[in-house]
Amino acid sequence: MSGPNTNYDPVEVSALDPANVDAAVQEALTAIAGAGSLDDLKAVRIAHQGEKSPLALANREIGALPPSAKAEAGKRVGQARGRVGQAIAARQAELEAERDERILVEERVDVTLPAVRRAAGARHPIELVSQRLADAFVGMGWEVAEGPELESEWLNFDALNLGPDHPARQMQDTFFLDPVDSGLVLRTQTSPVQIRTMLEKEPPIYVVAPGKVFRTDDLDATHTPVFHQIECLAIDKGLTMAHLRGALDAFVRIMFGEETRTRVRASYFPFTEPSMETDFVCFACHGTGHDESGAQCRSCGGSGWIELGGSGMVNRKVLRACGIDPDVYSGFAFGLGIERALMLRHGVQGMHEMVEGDIRFSQQFGMEV
Ligand code: DAH
């Protein structure tokens, strides 16, 4: 900025020269009109309205003018800055309006479009029933026990009194793991969880163990190579078959309703002695063996009873192998397949429906409980 100078001729200060001021305004207006975005306009504003812009410099020169020249120069520069300021404000408004318009188009939501529907999942009925049964037993003070699906052959068979030559060992078509001498199998039953529990805990023991089991069956209407069992084991002083029946009855009532009666038949399992099979009265024909039209009941095949599963008093040999004194403690155990019971309960036509994982199947039952 020049110092005060009483002999000053404004025409000689080039920044204040009217032609230069006009040129600065024209240049600014051209730049403003050419600003295609708000960012561009910001740069234009700094260049033409900022502290270092020609008009700001011109404005600063006014202070150095003699009083007689100040008014005219001030008016000229003031008007020039005013025009630039207005043009920037107008362009700013235009560009903001354009931006808002664009955002409205870009972010437009058509509320009339059909929504992308995400089907609510549903838990598989096998899972639900297993949990319902386990929960009910937990409610009676039992604990849930678990074991691995990849089980040692010893726990799956030998410890359950199924020695290497035992015929029942061949009856359960087993998946062996490579190499065969690894001693590992995919467990064929949940019964090894009994052994694990007895080896781990001191009596009294009351456990329920739901889980997957595996056998080399082909998938057909009534078989599947992967299925589910639920195993119960109780070891305490003075347990008898009466307690076993009580537990089985409780189980069946949870699964098929309060009114369901059971019956037991003598049977054989190497890890129980005595052993029995339990049947429950057919929930479809209530034991009559025929439906309302007199035709043979399809759920029980006309017998009035449906097989539930195996059970018995834990074999003394098994107790001893697990370090439990059979003269002090006795126990009972039972193990049931879940799939078959569920198929009967819900009238599921074939095993395929059970295992294929179609959400529409699960949804029919998945909200239950
Ligand atoms: N584990 C037997 C099976 O898969 C079923 C079974 C029978 C379980 C008797 C038991 C039992 O706990 O006591 O065929």
Side-chain angles (χ1 to χ4, degrees):
M1 203 196 303
S2 315
N5 181 352
T6 39
N7 301 321
Y8 184 85
D9 179 354
V11 180
E12 288 176 12
V13 178
S14 73
L16 290 171
D17 181 82
N20 286 346
V21 171
D22 275 352
V25 170
Q26 280 317 317
E27 213 178 297
L29 293 181
T30 309
I32 292 163
S37 69
L38 286 164
D39 282 344
D40 284 356
L41 188 63
K42 194 172 167 191
V44 169
R45 184 188 294 123
I46 291 166
H48 295 280
Q49 208 181 26
E51 275 177 35
K52 291 183 185 155
S53 63
L55 290 177
L57 293 175
N59 196 46
R60 252 175 269 151
E61 294 294 344
I62 294 170
L65 294 178
S68 58
K70 268 188 182 163
E72 201 214 323
K75 191 174 164 199
R76 186 184 315 130
V77 175
Q79 279 176 349
R81 297 178 85 200
R83 282 178 69 192
V84 171
Q86 271 172 15
I88 289 178
R91 186 71 187 133
Q92 173 90 15
E94 258 171 45
L95 289 171
E96 281 177 0
E98 270 174 40
R99 179 200 58 197
D100 292 349
E101 189 79 6
R102 196 172 54 247
I103 288 175
L104 280 179
V105 171
E106 278 170 9
E107 298 183 4
R108 178 173 168 161
V109 176
D110 184 349
V111 292
T112 65
L113 280 177
V116 181
R117 266 199 221 167
R118 263 176 221 284
R123 290 160 70 207
H124 198 279
I126 289 175
E127 203 53 40
L128 282 177
V129 167
S130 300
Q131 279 202 357
R132 176 143 44 106
L133 289 165
D135 282 355
F137 272 68
V138 166
M140 298 190 288
W142 295 50
E143 284 176 74
V144 174
E146 282 180 347
E149 289 167 7
L150 198 58
E151 185 57 282
S152 82
E153 213 177 328
W154 187 80
L155 287 166
N156 192 76
F157 293 121
D158 303 74
L160 286 161
N161 202 26
L162 280 130
D165 302 321
H166 200 287
R169 196 152 168 159
Q170 269 72 54
M171 271 153 52
Q172 298 191 352
D173 310 300
T174 311
F175 284 111
F176 291 91
L177 256 86
D178 257 352
V180 174
D181 60 10
S182 69
L184 291 172
V185 296
L186 285 177
R187 69 177 176 195
T188 59
Q189 47 188 350
T190 42
S191 302
V193 183
Q194 291 187 29
I195 306 297
R196 289 180 170 273
T197 309
M198 286 189 276
L199 290 173
E200 228 168 71
K201 291 183 201 279
E202 296 291 317
I205 291 170
Y206 290 88
V207 291
V208 54
K212 275 198 188 94
V213 299
F214 308 83
R215 294 191 195 175
T216 59
D217 286 321
D218 287 330
L219 180 64
D220 65 22
T222 51
H223 294 90
T224 157
V226 184
F227 57 104
H228 296 74
Q229 288 186 337
I230 187 160
E231 190 88 12
C232 287
L233 171 73
I235 308 286
D236 208 338
K237 286 179 181 158
L239 288 183
T240 67
M241 288 190 93
H243 296 106
L244 169 56
R245 268 214 83 171
L248 282 167
D249 280 352
F251 204 90
V252 166
R253 282 198 297 270
I254 296 160
M255 188 105 174
F256 296 106
E258 277 302 313
E259 304 304 312
T260 320
R261 283 179 296 123
T262 59
R263 73 174 184 191
V264 291
R265 290 177 284 118
S267 183
Y268 171 76
F269 298 99
F271 40 95
T272 46
E273 183 57 40
S275 303
M276 58 193 201
E277 290 282 347
T278 306
D279 301 330
F280 61 97
V281 79
C282 176
F283 51 86
C285 68
H286 305 287
T288 61
H290 50 78
D291 65 17
E292 278 159 16
S293 70
Q296 192 182 70
C297 174
R298 282 199 290 162
S299 294
C300 62
S303 73
W305 295 93
I306 296 172
E307 216 178 284
L308 181 68
S311 66
M313 301 306 290
V314 180
N315 193 315
R316 292 170 63 88
K317 278 172 89 171
V318 173
L319 288 176
R320 213 175 286 120
C322 295
I324 295 174
D325 185 348
D327 292 326
V328 179
Y329 292 101
S330 58
F332 63 80
F334 57 94
L336 321 165
I338 305 273
E339 271 80 356
R340 222 176 63 87
L342 253 183
M343 285 172 77
L344 289 165
R345 186 171 191 256
H346 292 302
V348 178
Q349 293 305 316
M351 197 58 89
H352 288 275
E353 278 192 58
M354 233 23 172
V355 302
E356 272 168 0
D358 188 329
I359 186 76
R360 289 168 300 182
F361 173 75
S362 294
Q363 273 167 340
Q364 296 175 57
F365 315 105
M367 302 307 164
E368 197 196 299
V369 168

